């Protein structure tokens, strides 16, 4: 089964909980947050494909199967 590629916008506590749950289900996680400390926290909790500071860097066509705004 192919892994779903999920972008999490906002890496605070809610984003981190969603990332942990989706990662446990086998999803590939990428995240966007302007705060580097939050990106560091989420990448310590789950394996991430990418951690980006801006939406412009994250939004490329056909890159994700779903987006969660937290």
């Amino acid at each position: 089964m192919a892994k779903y590629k999920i972008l999490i916008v906002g890496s605070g506590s809610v984003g981190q909980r969603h990332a942990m749950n989706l990662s446990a289900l086998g999803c590939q996680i990428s995240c966007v947050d302007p705060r580097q400390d939050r990106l560091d926290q989420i990448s310590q909790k789950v394996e991430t494909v990418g951690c980006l500071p801006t939406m412009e860097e994250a939004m490329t066509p056909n890159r994700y199967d779903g987006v969660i705004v937290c």
Side-chain angles (χ1 to χ4, degrees):
M1 181 174 148
K3 292 184 179 181
Y4 288 108
K5 297 174 187 170
I6 306 295
L7 174 66
I8 296 181
V9 179
S11 299
S13 64
V14 173
Q16 291 177 27
R17 280 182 273 159
H18 283 301
M20 288 187 293
N21 290 333
L22 290 165
S23 180
L25 293 172
C27 295
Q28 293 179 340
I29 305 297
S30 294
C31 52
V32 173
D33 199 296
R35 289 181 46 181
Q36 186 62 45
D37 61 323
R38 288 184 177 172
L39 293 174
D40 293 341
Q41 287 175 349
I42 200 167
S43 63
Q44 289 174 1
K45 293 182 178 184
V46 299
E47 182 180 336
T48 56
V49 176
C51 288
L52 305 162
T54 66
M55 285 296 296
E56 289 79 16
E57 292 180 65
M59 297 311 298
T60 58
N62 302 317
R63 188 170 180 180
Y64 308 105
D65 296 308
V67 177
I68 298 176
V69 179
C70 302

